[in-house]
Amino acid sequence: MKKIQMVDLQSQYYKIKNDVDNAVLNVMDSAAFINGPEVKSFQNELESYLEVKHVIPCANGTDALQIALMALDLQEGDEIITADFTFAATVEVIHLLKLKSVLVDVDYDTFTISTEAIKKAITPRTKAIIPVHIFGQCANMEEILKIAEENNLYVIEDNAQAIGADYTFADGTVKKSGTMSTVGTTSFFPSKNLGCYGDGGAIFTNNDELAHRLRGIVNHGMYERYYHDEVGVNSRLDSIQAAVLRKKLPHLDSYNEARRKSADFYDEAFAGHEHILTPKRAEDSSHVFHQYTLRILNGKRNELQKFLTEKEIPAMIYYPVALRKQKAYYQESNDADFVNTDKLLGQVISLPMHTELDDEQLKYITDAVLEFMG
Ligand SMILES: *Cc1c(COP(=O)(O)O)cnc(C)c1O
């Protein structure tokens, strides 16, 4: 059996090696390393795939979030509501910009931000909501967009984990994750569903004015060469990464399908087990399984992880600590408002999930989990 990895980027690369190698060598040959034609072509191709008017490439997913917030003219102390159960980058950028993060609970079944908790957290200083499409499934955008409209708030989708997912609104409209709100962001970190071979990120919007602003901010606040209208940043997707992404984007749907097939295998193996809850698939969003995350109900999650490690099966705890309890983002809170987050911290375990898992590996993993869980 092939060695089991949390993410197997090497086997995936071997399948498209010729294509990628040639594309990278062509960039070297052209010497157009920064803002070359590969970047522009990738931008256009991603705009078509996502059916969004503007894609603004940038250096990574954290920058994408920061730049999105910078473009919205927020004032120091303005409040941004986001989930307590997410990767720290989401809240980090809020603090970097001297805005105030207001962390709220998530739904127990989908791990995404709780709309009830959002409603309770809104104050006159609230300016935006950042839903995170965590683990590969969209937050309840129908409701979030409604709340935002009623309260005149921006919505910034953190789509680093769900690129390629489809969201279906009650009226039947289908949109790609990251394109439903004021602005969406993503990361092309190698292990994401659409990953490059280094760092990369992008921002999406359908708003022309905002797109113009974002393009200036990523480029030193420059709207005309050497005229700096505002303080910006330097955040670029380099041409080599764009060339890699152009070769991978046509495979994104089949990559997500492969992840879904592995998730189906896991679901079936654990179905009905009294101490294992499989991840819920929401009715309004497709699931692209950036992570496959179980909830272990018998209190033996850590022992399970140890058991799997002994069997050379990697398994990860995403996430072990609530953001509101992190030293950097500590927020006075009433634990009663965070029952789902706090329960999840003690129950979640993510199993290997990538595009290259085969049935032999999946069987070995599920057998091991079931051997431990009884
Ligand atoms: C990966 C990730 C980011 C940050 O992306 P980087 O490219 O690593 O900066 C932000 N938010 C979420 C939810 C992520 O998973």
Side-chain angles (χ1 to χ4, degrees):
M1 186 176 62
K2 208 161 60 170
K3 187 174 160 57
I4 297 173
Q5 301 181 63
M6 201 62 201
V7 179
D8 183 355
L9 294 173
Q10 198 174 41
S11 301
Q12 191 195 55
Y13 164 61
Y14 287 152
K15 290 186 178 159
I16 52 169
K17 180 173 175 353
N18 266 339
D19 245 15
V20 171
D21 290 0
N22 287 333
V24 169
L25 289 172
N26 283 340
V27 175
M28 314 265 230
D29 212 44
S30 74
F33 297 116
I34 300 289
N35 291 334
E38 291 289 333
V39 178
K40 182 73 188 161
S41 299
F42 172 64
Q43 176 189 313
N44 293 337
E45 287 157 12
L46 190 57
E47 283 165 357
S48 308
Y49 174 83
L50 293 172
E51 296 180 50
V52 70
K53 232 167 145 188
H54 304 281
V55 164
I56 296 95
C58 65
N60 58 66
T62 309
D63 272 12
L65 282 163
Q66 180 184 328
I67 294 157
L69 286 173
M70 285 170 77
L72 297 176
D73 286 325
L74 301 165
Q75 306 297 318
E76 191 168 330
D78 281 350
E79 293 175 8
I80 317 289
I81 297 173
T82 192
D84 192 29
F85 184 76
T86 173
F87 180 57
T90 323
V91 62
E92 181 179 44
V93 297
I94 298 172
H95 288 244
L96 274 172
L97 296 173
K98 303 219 174 335
L99 304 166
K100 182 166 184 264
S101 69
V102 176
L103 301 168
V104 302
D105 206 7
V106 294
D107 285 337
Y108 181 66
D109 283 329
T110 59
F111 312 115
T112 54
I113 194 164
S114 152
T115 52
E116 285 313 306
I118 292 175
K119 284 187 212 160
K120 275 200 248 160
I122 291 175
T123 76
R125 292 223 65 175
T126 307
K127 289 288 153 48
I129 307 167
I130 309 184
V132 183
H133 301 325
I134 197 99
F135 300 157
Q137 193 165 243
C138 296
N140 181 353
M141 291 303 290
E142 181 104 32
E143 186 68 20
I144 291 168
L145 292 173
K146 204 157 73 189
I147 297 169
E149 195 175 317
E150 283 164 9
N151 294 278
N152 200 21
L153 308 175
Y154 297 118
V155 177
I156 301 128
E157 288 165 77
D158 181 346
N159 192 34
Q161 299 191 5
I163 196 159
D166 289 312
Y167 187 84
T168 308
F169 288 88
D171 68 1
T173 317
V174 179
K175 287 192 182 168
K176 286 279 177 208
S177 61
T179 70
M180 293 176 263
S181 52
T182 320
V183 55
T185 67
T186 203
S187 162
F188 303 122
F189 184 80
S191 65
K192 306 283 171 162
N193 291 40
L194 178 62
C196 57
Y197 295 165
D199 273 311
I203 310 163
F204 322 132
T205 183
N206 284 307
N207 179 321
D208 297 337
E209 234 172 278
L210 188 59
H212 175 73
R213 186 82 189 277
L214 290 162
R215 292 213 165 87
I217 294 173
V218 297
N219 190 25
H220 301 289
M222 205 159 51
Y223 295 86
E224 198 182 323
R225 201 146 200 206
Y226 301 123
Y227 290 82
H228 302 272
D229 295 357
E230 65 182 312
V231 178
V233 296
N234 170 24
S235 188
R236 295 185 285 237
L237 180 70
D238 74 66
S239 302
I240 288 179
Q241 299 311 331
V244 172
L245 288 165
R246 286 189 72 201
K247 294 301 172 194
K248 290 187 72 176
L249 178 59
H251 299 287
L252 177 58
D253 286 342
S254 62
Y255 286 162
N256 284 340
E257 194 48 46
R259 288 171 178 272
R260 230 165 353 238
K261 259 187 71 191
S262 296
D264 289 344
F265 192 109
Y266 283 142
D267 274 2
E268 210 169 297
F270 305 133
H273 194 289
E274 67 171 323
H275 297 307
I276 303 176
L277 280 183
T278 56
K280 179 183 163 148
R281 309 210 189 180
E283 276 163 33
D284 51 357
S285 172
S286 67
H287 204 318
V288 296
F289 288 100
H290 178 61
Q291 300 296 344
Y292 184 89
T293 305
L294 294 174
R295 286 157 290 172
I296 301 300
L297 307 180
N298 64 354
K300 300 217 166 106
R301 188 267 316 267
N302 292 349
E303 291 87 337
L304 170 63
Q305 187 188 27
K306 200 165 154 266
F307 179 80
L308 293 175
T309 308
E310 279 160 15
K311 299 220 149 208
E312 297 195 40
I313 299 169
M316 302 288 286
I317 312 298
Y318 303 119
Y319 297 94
V321 183
L323 288 171
R324 72 182 198 283
K325 305 254 163 136
Q326 298 277 1
K327 248 193 234 166
Y329 310 116
Y330 190 82
Q331 167 184 314
E332 283 297 334
S333 61
N334 180 354
D335 287 348
D337 293 333
F338 292 87
V339 279
N340 293 331
T341 295
D342 289 350
K343 216 155 59 165
L344 290 172
L345 301 173
Q347 294 181 350
V348 290
I349 183 164
S350 296
L351 298 181
M353 175 50 73
H354 52 80
T355 59
E356 310 302 316
L357 284 165
D358 60 40
D359 283 1
E360 191 189 6
Q361 292 176 310
L362 288 164
K363 182 154 188 331
Y364 181 79
I365 297 166
T366 51
D367 283 353
V369 172
L370 291 170
E371 184 189 334
F372 179 83
M373 295 297 292

